[in-house]
Amino acid sequence: MSLELLIHNIGYIISALTTLVVIILVYIKDHGPLANKMLLLSFVAVFGYVTSHVVGVNIQDPELSRTVLMGNIFTIFIALFFAHSVFALIGKLKEQKIALIFMYSGSIILTIIFLIFPNSLLLPSVPKLYFPNYYEAGILYPAIMAWTVLLSIYFLSQMLLVYRTAEPILKNRLRYLFTAILMGYLLGTSAWYLVFDIQIDPILSMFFVTSFVIPFTYAVLKYDLMDIKVIAKQAFTYSLAVVGVGIFIVLLNFSNQLIVQQIPATPAWALPLISSFIVVTVGFFIWKRLREIDTLKYEFVSTISHKLRTPLTGIKWAAESLTTHTTAEGQEELAQIKEGTNRLVELVGLLMNTSNDHQEDYVYHWEPVDIATLSEKMVGDEKYQAQKKNITLSYANQTGNAVMIHADPKKILSVIQIMIDNAIAYTPKDGKVEVTLSKSGSTALLTVKDTGIGLDKEDARLIFSRFFRGNKARAADTEGMGIGLFIAQRIVERHDGKISVKSEGVGTGSTFSLSLPLMK
């Protein structure tokens, strides 16, 4: 086995394992929505194609190699299932019903033809470049290429039409889809040249999976399920964990020829097939072990969150029962207790969500929202807390009008609350907190400026990390958990926005800025 073939095999084995890991992750995370189901079917087709390719090009027998490489048929269904997933994602299933029927019918007819007349797709394999055997195109092989390209051009055109009038979140998803498709075709089609004896090394095609599958998964699942950092980190970690085993198994293939020579009855394809099976089995075992570690970590935070809810519920009930037994003067204090308890209950719920990616009922309810109204309401609610510290809390809407965004009002209200709560908590008595709403280009900009303890450069860099609290922050507010700004950032990212902080240093105060896309 040459060095080039060894690199090719390692690359494709890693690609197959990466696809398998993504399939398992997506299935476990959420396989309910139609877009996700079609995504899974697409990845199964990708896995089928990649596996048949890496096994087929290593088989010495031309007929057997051709039989295994007939897995090239999977490329028809990669494009088909991706198209179906995209239409489900952009909400165009009804409009594309006839087109989908045509796509499925054409794909099935082509598959039947190729299965009945395999020579029309591929002839017996022949050695090419450094491959023991490689694809040899049949008379209808260009048809599979043309059909795949035709399907892709059609659903790309539909995506472009939707993109022109799409909301910011859908636009962002479509950008990732465009990127995935472009990179997938640029890299994946590099394997086609050698099929027609054009002497171009198909080595770049092994990067087709990571450049296509990961961005596409991100586009479909980002706002419903997970962050790209999660799936990329897990897929990368699990893939690296099996690379060592994969290299060992591929190196074992060096002995394939020797074994065949010594034991002529040994099929040439047996060792590569057994090697691939071992790699997948070991990879799955390692993935399962790593997942158990993650589960223990998240279960700990989830358990603590559940424990917090019990005393909070008791406080809430006690406050409700006291309402009828207290004086008029005490009613205001009880109202503050109930309001604070309700906020804590919601904060605990958000904390549980950050520790549990499987919580299916944690969904966003999108609607047109006036952020000016939300900001004014939250400033009014926070007046009592500011007055207790003799802090001047002010609000200014520089636009003078409604400022409409597309958002979940409860989630954005939580972000504004976290920003103002932090400003009040870390501002000394007799200080000031100024909340200002303005517009900057196509975004709404909300700033919360305080005269508080400020931040040094290191604290400013880490302030949005989970459970991070600087030394000054711990001294100023001993009860903080360091989770509020992390939660706020997660919510803002789901709204395609940005939250940031500026400070000249310790003792100079801070300015937190929230920017969100305006409705068009």
Side-chain angles (χ1 to χ4, degrees):
M1 182 184 295
S2 66
L3 179 61
E4 293 92 340
L5 183 59
L6 176 63
I7 294 172
H8 173 276
N9 288 344
I10 292 174
Y12 265 90
I13 288 173
I14 292 174
S15 294
L17 292 172
T18 300
T19 306
L20 183 62
V21 167
V22 173
I23 289 171
I24 295 170
L25 287 174
V26 173
Y27 183 83
I28 291 174
K29 296 287 185 182
D30 185 7
H31 59 277
L34 180 60
N36 297 5
K37 289 178 180 176
M38 302 314 301
L39 187 71
L40 278 173
L41 288 175
S42 304
F43 292 161
V44 170
V46 169
F47 181 77
Y49 163 71
V50 171
T51 304
S52 69
H53 173 85
V54 73
V55 174
V57 298
N58 283 279
I59 294 177
Q60 301 289 333
D61 182 88
E63 286 290 347
L64 182 59
S65 174
R66 188 269 301 272
T67 301
V68 175
L69 291 177
M70 285 293 290
N72 207 247
I73 292 173
F74 281 113
T75 58
I76 298 175
F77 294 95
I78 293 173
L80 175 63
F81 293 145
F82 271 124
H84 201 157
S85 179
V86 168
F87 291 148
L89 180 67
I90 63 179
K92 296 294 182 180
L93 283 177
K94 289 185 178 179
E95 296 178 19
Q96 300 297 329
K97 184 177 179 180
I98 295 177
L100 282 171
I101 292 173
F102 175 76
M103 290 179 183
Y104 274 93
S105 301
S107 299
I108 292 170
I109 290 171
L110 272 178
T111 302
I112 292 173
I113 291 173
F114 292 146
L115 290 176
I116 296 176
F117 306 104
N119 282 339
S120 66
L121 177 63
L122 291 173
L123 300 173
S125 302
V126 297
K128 296 183 181 182
L129 286 182
Y130 47 80
F131 296 99
N133 272 308
Y134 202 76
Y135 305 87
E136 183 70 7
I139 190 171
L140 291 182
Y141 188 88
I144 196 173
M145 300 168 58
W147 183 251
T148 302
V149 172
L150 179 65
L151 294 185
S152 302
I153 290 175
Y154 180 74
F155 75 74
L156 273 171
S157 67
Q158 297 305 306
M159 287 164 58
L160 285 170
L161 290 175
V162 172
Y163 183 84
R164 295 171 57 188
T165 57
E167 296 173 350
I169 290 174
L170 182 55
K171 276 190 174 181
N172 198 43
R173 280 178 155 175
L174 290 172
R175 290 188 196 106
Y176 281 102
L177 292 175
F178 289 133
T179 302
I181 294 165
L182 177 62
M183 294 301 295
Y185 269 98
L186 284 176
L187 297 174
T189 55
S190 64
W192 285 351
Y193 298 110
L194 194 58
V195 177
F196 298 99
D197 298 321
I198 300 172
Q199 300 299 301
I200 295 178
D201 194 331
I203 193 70
L204 289 178
S205 63
M206 70 181 184
F207 298 109
F208 139 75
V209 169
T210 51
S211 63
F212 186 49
V213 169
I214 299 297
F216 210 103
T217 305
Y218 182 41
V220 174
L221 304 180
K222 177 187 175 187
Y223 296 98
D224 300 326
L225 199 56
M226 66 186 76
D227 194 287
I228 185 61
K229 295 175 184 177
V230 176
I231 191 167
K233 180 180 177 182
Q234 289 180 326
F236 183 69
T237 301
Y238 303 146
S239 297
L240 282 183
V242 299
V243 164
V245 179
I247 292 175
F248 172 76
I249 296 298
V250 172
L251 289 174
L252 190 62
N253 287 331
F254 274 119
S255 61
N256 191 27
Q257 281 296 103
L258 180 61
I259 293 174
V260 171
Q261 292 173 1
Q262 297 297 322
I263 310 175
T266 304
W269 52 266
L271 191 57
L273 184 62
I274 294 171
S275 301
S276 300
F277 176 77
I278 293 173
V279 171
V280 172
T281 303
V282 173
F284 181 77
F285 173 76
I286 294 173
W287 169 82
K288 190 174 181 181
R289 295 296 300 169
L290 289 173
R291 181 170 177 79
E292 288 175 0
I293 296 172
D294 284 343
T295 301
L296 288 174
K297 179 179 66 176
Y298 292 131
E299 281 182 353
F300 170 76
V301 179
S302 182
T303 300
I304 295 298
S305 300
H306 279 293
K307 294 294 184 183
L308 286 172
R309 274 191 166 177
T310 302
L312 286 174
T313 304
I315 294 171
K316 187 175 180 179
W317 287 347
E320 291 287 351
S321 62
L322 283 173
T323 303
T324 57
H325 302 291
T326 189
T327 62
E329 291 78 9
Q331 293 291 332
E332 185 176 348
E333 299 290 341
L334 280 174
Q336 292 298 325
I337 292 173
K338 289 189 286 186
E339 177 68 19
T341 304
N342 288 334
R343 291 179 186 174
L344 281 172
V345 169
E346 186 164 348
L347 183 61
V348 168
L350 290 169
L351 176 60
M352 290 174 65
N353 181 65
T354 64
S355 67
N356 185 3
D357 288 326
H358 309 286
Q359 188 169 323
E360 296 179 357
D361 60 349
Y362 189 80
V363 295
Y364 279 58
H365 303 282
W366 303 94
E367 60 184 73
V369 175
D370 179 13
I371 192 173
T373 301
L374 294 183
S375 303
E376 188 172 3
K377 177 185 183 304
M378 185 50 63
V379 169
D381 291 345
E382 295 288 338
K383 285 284 187 182
Y384 179 79
Q385 296 297 329
Q387 289 170 0
K388 289 200 299 185
K389 294 182 66 175
N390 201 29
I391 291 174
T392 302
L393 176 60
S394 62
Y395 169 69
N397 180 0
Q398 294 182 349
T399 69
N401 300 307
V403 180
M404 302 303 296
I405 60 174
H406 191 72
D408 183 316
K410 289 185 177 180
K411 304 299 186 297
I412 292 300
L413 198 62
S414 295
V415 173
I416 300 171
Q417 176 196 334
I418 289 168
M419 293 170 68
I420 298 176
D421 276 348
N422 274 6
I424 294 173
Y426 300 117
T427 298
K429 290 183 178 181
D430 302 320
K432 292 182 180 180
V433 175
E434 298 174 350
V435 182
T436 306
L437 179 64
S438 60
K439 291 182 180 179
S440 178
S442 60
T443 62
L445 180 62
L446 182 72
T447 60
V448 179
K449 183 179 181 181
D450 63 60
T451 58
I453 61 175
L455 298 164
D456 59 27
K457 289 184 178 180
E458 183 65 15
D459 285 355
R461 185 177 67 85
L462 300 172
I463 194 69
F464 295 101
S465 302
R466 190 187 332 224
F467 301 124
F468 174 79
R469 301 192 73 219
N471 293 331
K472 289 286 184 181
R474 285 194 293 268
D477 182 10
T478 59
E479 297 182 3
M481 294 189 298
I483 192 68
L485 289 174
F486 170 78
I487 293 171
Q489 186 181 53
R490 289 283 294 270
I491 294 172
V492 172
E493 287 177 348
R494 290 280 292 271
H495 285 79
D496 217 21
K498 183 179 179 181
I499 185 170
S500 59
V501 63
K502 288 183 180 179
S503 179
E504 297 298 324
V506 176
T508 61
S510 305
T511 301
F512 283 84
S513 300
L514 168 65
S515 60
L516 294 165
L518 291 169
M519 282 192 66
K520 295 181 180 180

